[in-house]
Amino acid sequence: MDETNSQPKMGRPSPLRTGGGLKSTLSGKSSPRNSSSFRRSHSNRTPRRDGRNNVGRFRWILGNRVVFWLILITLWAYIGFHFQSQWAHNNNEEAEFLGHRSDAGSITNNTQRLYMKGNASDSADSSGSKGTSILKRLSVSLKRKAKRALPRKNSSSKRTRRTTTVPARQNDTVDEEIPRRNTSYGLIVGPFGKTEDNILGWNAEKRRGTCDRKGGFARIVWSRSFVLVLHELSMTGSPLSMMELATEILSCGGSVSAVVLSRKGGLMGELDRRGIKVLKDKAEFSFKTAMKADLVIAGSAVCASWIDQYLSRFAAGSSKIVWWIMENRREYFDRSKNMLSQVKMLIFLSDLQSKQWLAWCAEENIHLNSEPAIVPLSVNDELAFVAGIPCSLNTPSFSVENMLERRSSLRVAVRKEMGLTDDDMLVMSLSSINPGKGQLLLLESARLMVERGLHLNDSSSDNLMEEENQSGVSARKLLQKGTSDDISANESQRVKVSKVASNKRKRKHSRPSKTLSAPDGDGSVIKRALSQNENTKPQNLKILIGSIGSKSNKIPYVKGILRFLSQHSTLSKLVLWTPATTRVAALYAAADVYVINAQGLGETFGRVTIEAMAFGLPVLGTEAGGTGEIVVNNVTGLLHPVGRPGTHTLAKNIDFFLNNRKTREQMGMSGRVKVVSKYLKNHMYQKLAEVLIKCMKIK
C-alpha cells in the first residue's frame, strides 16, 4: 500500500520518454537536472534537444582538424579524378570543332579548357556557401598546375588557332547548315517547309492523330501496350513507317514505348513532338518493358541482335514478337536467320520478298512458327491530304477540291524557287544516296541522252547502241572519257541521226493522241505514242537528287557521283540537290517524273514509289523487287533492267517522257488511281489488324 500510494508523488512520466528514462524514474534514484547522468538518461526527451545534439556532432567534426582535412583531401582527389575522367573519355571531339588537331600536342590544351570550364561553372553559381568556395579554390589550384605544365606559345600560334577552319567529320556528308550553293554539289534547293505552311494554310505539326475509331485496328490496340523496336532514326522507309505506326497506336488509345538501337538519323525531335516515349536503355530495362507489353513489333532485320538478347533472358517472350522485315538482301537474311524460327510471326512488304525469304529458309532448313503475312506500306494521311486524296484530315475548309488548287499553287511557288519553268521536266530520285539506289546509273543515262546528242526516241538510235555494245566499248570506259573521246568512228552517223531527229521534232501533225490501253509487253504503247506526235515542244531535262545529309548515305559513293559530275560540266548544270527532310510534299508537287533505280534484287517495296504515284507522277523503275508489283509497265510508268545494261533503256524512257507530255501525265493519273485503291492508310491498318488478331489473345 505504501508503494502504491507513493507512486503518484513521483509524477506522471512523459510520453516522449524512452524505456530507459522510465526505468530510471521508477528506480527511486534522483539526480540533478544539470548533471551529466540526467542529460544522458533524458537525451531524447524532445525533438528539439535531438536536433541540438546533431548540430553538436557536426561542430565536433569541424573542430577535429584530422577528420576535416581527411574529408577535404578526399573531396580534392574526387574532383581531380572527375576532371581526369572527362578528359580521358572526351575523344578530342571538342578539340576538333574548336580547330585543334586530335594529336598528342592538343592534350594539354584540352585539359586546360576542361579546367577552365569547371572553374567558370563553379563561379557562376555564386551561392556563397562554404562548399562552393572550396570547390572554387580547388579548381583554381588545379588550373594553375595545368598552366605550369603547358608549353609556352607565341602570339602567331594563337592567331593561327583562331583562323583554323573546322574540319569535316567523316560520318557526315555535309554540314548541318547546308549552303545554298556549293562548289561540290552545285545548286542545293529546299527544304520548303515554310512555303508549304504559307500556301497550304495547314501544318502537319498541329496534327495529334487521326485514328479511325470505327476500324478494327482501333478496337484491338485500345488500352493495350506495345513496344516498337527501331534499328535507327534515319529518314528512310522503315523508321518512318514505325514512327507512323506508333503515332497511330497512340491516337487509338494504346501506349507505345520505342527501343532505338542506333540514334543515327534526325527523327528524334519528331518522335518527341509526337509524344512517342523512347527508352534510353536498350538492354535490361527495355527487356523488362517488352516482357510486360502485350506485343513487341520489330521493324527491321537489323533488330535480330536485340531479339536474340531479349529471348536469352525471357524465353517465354517469343510468343509476343512480330517481326516486320523490310529488307530483301541475303546479308540481312544471314544476320537474322537464327531468330526467324523463334518469333511469333514474320511480316513482309511484298509477295516477291516473301517468296525470296521462304526460299532462303528452305535452303537453311528453317521452319517458321506460322505462315508469314504480307502488309505493304501506305501513303500517310499528311501526304494524301496535300495530294488531294480523301483522308481523315479533310474538313469543309480543307476539301479535296480546295487542296488540289493549293497543291497547284504550291507547285508553281516551289518550281519558281528552284528556278524552273514550264519548259523544264523535273526528274526526281528521293532516296538515301548509296549504290543500291542507283543514282550514278541515272546520271549515266542522262549523260547518254544530253551530252552525246542521242535522240533516243528514234529507231536508228537503237541500232547505234547495239553497234556500241558490239564494238566492246564498256559503259565504264565511256564514263571516264570526255565528250570528244565518245565521238569517234561513228561520228558522222550520230550527227546524221541528230539532224533527222531534230527535223522530226519540228514537224507538226494534226492527228490527236490516243489514250493508253492495257499494258503491252512489247512496248506497243510507246510506239503508238511516238508515231502520233502530241504537237508539243520537247522539254528540258532537270534532275533532282536527294537526300543530302542522310545518315544512310555512303560517303565514297557520294564522292564518286561528284567526281563524275565534275568531269561533265554540261550534265552538272542540270542536276539539283536537296537535303534530307520529312517535308517532302513540296518536292513531289514540283516534280514531273519519279525514278526508283534500285539495283541488285531491287527495292523491297518502295514507299517513295507510292508517294510519287499519289501525286500523279509516272515512275521509271527497275524490273526487280517490289517495284514490279507496284508499277505496271506502260500504264503507270516504264520499267528498265537493273545494272549498267539498263542505262540505255532508262535514257530512252526519259527521252520519251520529254517528248510526250500528255502520255506522261496520263500514266501519272493511272498510278494515282492505283494508290487510292490499294495503298492508303486504311488498307495497311486493316491488314495489320488481321495480324494482331492472330498474335494477341483478343476475346
Side-chain angles (χ1 to χ4, degrees):
M1 288 296 293
D2 295 337
E3 292 180 357
T4 56
N5 293 335
S6 62
Q7 276 185 350
K9 297 180 181 180
M10 299 296 297
R12 190 166 53 184
S14 173
L16 298 177
R17 296 181 182 178
T18 59
L22 181 61
K23 181 178 179 180
S24 61
T25 304
L26 296 177
S27 62
K29 297 180 180 181
S30 61
S31 58
R33 296 182 61 87
N34 295 328
S35 64
S36 59
S37 60
F38 182 88
R39 287 196 297 267
R40 284 195 301 271
S41 60
H42 299 83
S43 60
N44 294 329
R45 179 184 295 268
T46 61
R48 184 176 179 181
R49 290 181 178 271
D50 183 63
R52 291 179 179 177
N53 193 25
N54 292 335
V55 173
R57 292 175 183 176
F58 183 74
R59 290 179 179 175
W60 176 81
I61 293 176
L62 294 178
N64 194 327
R65 293 185 178 182
V66 177
V67 176
F68 177 78
W69 281 106
L70 286 176
I71 295 175
L72 187 61
I73 293 172
T74 304
L75 181 61
W76 192 335
Y78 175 79
I79 294 175
F81 177 80
H82 173 72
F83 284 119
Q84 184 181 5
S85 177
Q86 273 193 350
W87 166 79
H89 295 85
N90 193 41
N91 200 21
N92 291 334
E93 287 187 12
E94 186 175 359
E96 290 185 5
F97 282 104
L98 291 178
H100 295 272
R101 294 182 180 179
S102 304
D103 51 13
S106 64
I107 293 178
T108 54
N109 295 333
N110 197 13
T111 308
Q112 180 189 17
R113 185 164 54 254
L114 287 172
Y115 291 149
M116 293 177 66
K117 184 189 299 183
N119 184 25
S121 61
D122 291 337
S123 61
D125 292 337
S126 65
S127 59
S129 60
K130 181 181 293 186
T132 304
S133 60
I134 292 174
L135 291 175
K136 184 177 180 180
R137 290 197 299 270
L138 289 175
S139 178
V140 172
S141 62
L142 290 173
K143 185 184 70 172
R144 290 175 180 175
K145 291 182 180 180
K147 282 186 176 181
R148 296 192 192 103
L150 289 175
R152 295 183 179 180
K153 296 185 179 180
N154 53 19
S155 59
S156 61
S157 62
K158 293 181 180 179
R159 189 180 302 108
T160 304
R161 186 172 66 245
R162 291 193 191 99
T163 57
T164 304
T165 57
V166 179
R169 291 188 295 176
Q170 297 294 328
N171 294 333
D172 295 338
T173 56
V174 293
D175 296 336
E176 293 182 1
E177 295 183 0
I178 302 175
R180 299 298 300 176
R181 181 174 289 276
N182 186 286
T183 56
S184 300
Y185 283 94
L187 184 62
I188 301 177
V189 296
F192 303 97
K194 294 182 179 179
T195 306
E196 288 184 22
D197 297 340
N198 295 333
I199 295 178
L200 300 179
W202 175 85
N203 194 334
E205 295 182 357
K206 299 178 181 179
R207 171 185 178 268
R208 287 297 180 181
T210 55
C211 177
D212 182 12
R213 300 294 179 182
K214 299 181 181 179
F217 183 81
R219 180 179 60 85
I220 295 172
V221 303
W222 173 260
S223 70
R224 289 185 170 86
S225 60
F226 298 84
V227 171
L228 304 187
V229 185
L230 288 74
H231 71 290
E232 63 179 13
L233 295 178
S234 62
M235 299 180 188
T236 53
S238 175
L240 288 173
S241 301
M242 296 299 291
M243 180 183 68
E244 292 169 1
L245 174 60
T247 305
E248 190 70 12
I249 292 175
L250 289 176
S251 63
C252 291
S255 61
V256 177
S257 298
V259 179
V260 180
L261 304 184
S262 173
R263 301 297 178 96
K264 182 176 68 173
L267 287 181
M268 181 58 70
E270 187 68 16
L271 291 174
D272 294 338
R273 185 187 68 82
R274 297 176 179 235
I276 301 172
K277 179 183 178 182
V278 178
L279 301 179
K280 295 182 180 180
D281 172 61
K282 55 185 178 182
E284 294 296 335
F285 182 71
S286 66
F287 298 152
K288 295 178 181 178
T289 305
M291 194 62 192
K292 297 177 183 178
D294 293 294
L295 193 67
V296 178
I297 303 178
S300 172
V302 187
C303 302
S305 59
W306 185 90
I307 296 176
D308 186 16
Q309 297 177 19
Y310 171 63
L311 294 182
S312 64
R313 290 165 174 78
F314 303 102
S318 61
S319 61
K320 56 173 66 176
I321 297 180
V322 174
W323 204 346
W324 200 355
I325 298 177
M326 302 186 185
E327 296 86 4
N328 196 28
R329 295 205 299 268
R330 183 61 188 249
E331 58 182 291
Y332 289 103
F333 172 81
D334 294 335
R335 184 183 302 184
S336 58
K337 61 183 180 181
N338 296 330
M339 298 290 104
L340 296 177
S341 60
Q342 302 185 40
V343 300
K344 181 69 174 180
M345 180 178 290
L346 299 179
I347 303 178
F348 297 112
L349 299 180
S350 62
D351 185 62
L352 186 142
Q353 181 200 13
S354 177
K355 293 179 180 179
Q356 182 66 72
W357 279 70
L358 290 178
W360 288 333
C361 290
E363 293 177 5
E364 301 288 341
N365 294 324
I366 299 175
H367 301 283
L368 304 179
N369 290 330
S370 59
E371 183 179 357
I374 299 177
V375 181
L377 300 178
S378 66
V379 179
N380 59 42
D381 274 353
E382 288 87 351
L383 287 179
F385 177 68
V386 180
I389 297 176
C391 64
S392 59
L393 295 176
N394 289 122
T395 61
S397 59
F398 292 100
S399 61
V400 174
E401 295 77 10
N402 189 3
M403 292 309 301
L404 289 174
E405 295 177 359
R406 300 189 184 193
R407 192 191 78 177
S408 300
S409 302
L410 179 63
R411 172 182 171 85
V412 173
V414 173
R415 287 177 68 91
K416 184 178 180 180
E417 291 187 38
M418 292 182 178
L420 304 179
T421 64
D422 291 338
D423 295 334
D424 297 322
M425 185 185 79
L426 182 60
V427 177
M428 183 171 66
S429 177
L430 195 63
S431 303
S432 55
I433 306 175
N434 57 66
K437 304 299 181 180
Q439 288 90 351
L440 181 57
L441 296 178
L442 169 61
L443 295 177
E444 291 179 10
S445 301
R447 175 177 175 259
L448 288 175
M449 186 187 65
V450 176
E451 289 194 354
R452 301 176 61 196
L454 295 179
H455 300 286
L456 301 171
N457 58 348
D458 190 82
S459 59
S460 60
S461 63
D462 297 338
N463 299 329
L464 180 59
M465 292 177 185
E466 293 178 0
E467 292 178 3
E468 289 177 353
N469 294 330
Q470 293 174 0
S471 64
V473 181
S474 64
R476 175 57 63 184
K477 293 181 179 179
L478 290 177
L479 297 179
Q480 299 174 354
K481 295 181 179 180
T483 306
S484 59
D485 296 334
D486 294 336
I487 304 177
S488 55
N490 296 327
E491 181 178 2
S492 60
Q493 185 178 3
R494 294 175 184 174
V495 173
K496 182 178 179 180
V497 170
S498 178
K499 291 181 179 179
V500 171
S502 61
N503 292 332
K504 286 186 177 182
R505 284 199 301 269
K506 292 180 180 179
R507 299 172 186 173
K508 296 183 179 181
H509 299 273
S510 58
R511 290 177 294 178
S513 60
K514 296 182 180 180
T515 58
L516 290 176
S517 59
D520 297 325
D522 57 354
S524 59
V525 174
I526 298 179
K527 294 179 180 179
R528 287 199 301 271
L530 291 175
S531 63
Q532 300 166 359
N533 197 310
E534 297 179 351
N535 195 20
T536 57
K537 184 176 66 173
Q539 293 181 295
N540 303 317
L541 177 63
K542 295 288 185 180
I543 300 176
L544 177 65
I545 296 179
S547 306
I548 299 178
S550 174
K551 300 300 181 180
S552 300
N553 292 349
K554 303 300 180 183
I555 308 303
Y557 184 71
V558 176
K559 292 181 178 179
I561 293 178
L562 299 178
R563 194 179 307 113
F564 172 72
L565 290 175
S566 64
Q567 298 173 0
H568 307 284
S569 58
T570 304
L571 178 62
S572 63
K573 296 177 182 178
L574 307 180
V575 179
L576 307 176
W577 301 81
T578 185
T581 178
T582 57
R583 306 292 296 272
V584 295
L587 300 176
Y588 287 125
D592 298 293
V593 179
Y594 192 84
V595 176
I596 180 72
N597 199 30
Q599 303 300 309
L601 293 177
E603 192 80 4
T604 307
F605 177 79
R607 175 188 171 101
V608 290
T609 306
I610 59 175
E611 290 176 351
M613 292 168 62
F615 279 80
L617 303 182
V619 179
L620 298 176
T622 51
E623 297 173 336
T627 305
E629 298 182 14
I630 302 173
V631 180
V632 181
N633 194 28
N634 296 332
V635 175
T636 63
L638 301 175
L639 300 178
H640 57 275
V642 297
R644 186 152 283 105
T647 56
H648 289 102
T649 306
L650 178 57
K652 288 170 56 179
N653 294 341
I654 293 175
D655 188 75
F656 170 74
F657 280 155
L658 279 173
N659 294 275
N660 297 273
R661 185 171 184 173
K662 292 183 180 179
T663 305
R664 180 186 77 206
E665 293 174 353
Q666 190 164 2
M667 284 186 176
M669 293 305 299
S670 300
R672 179 183 172 92
V673 172
K674 184 173 183 179
V675 169
V676 173
S677 62
K678 294 185 65 175
Y679 299 122
L680 293 183
K681 190 184 77 172
N682 59 313
H683 300 118
M684 184 184 77
Y685 286 110
Q686 181 179 357
K687 295 181 178 180
L688 270 179
E690 298 174 358
V691 173
L692 298 182
I693 291 176
K694 296 179 181 179
C695 298
M696 298 173 62
K697 297 179 180 180
I698 300 176
K699 298 181 180 180

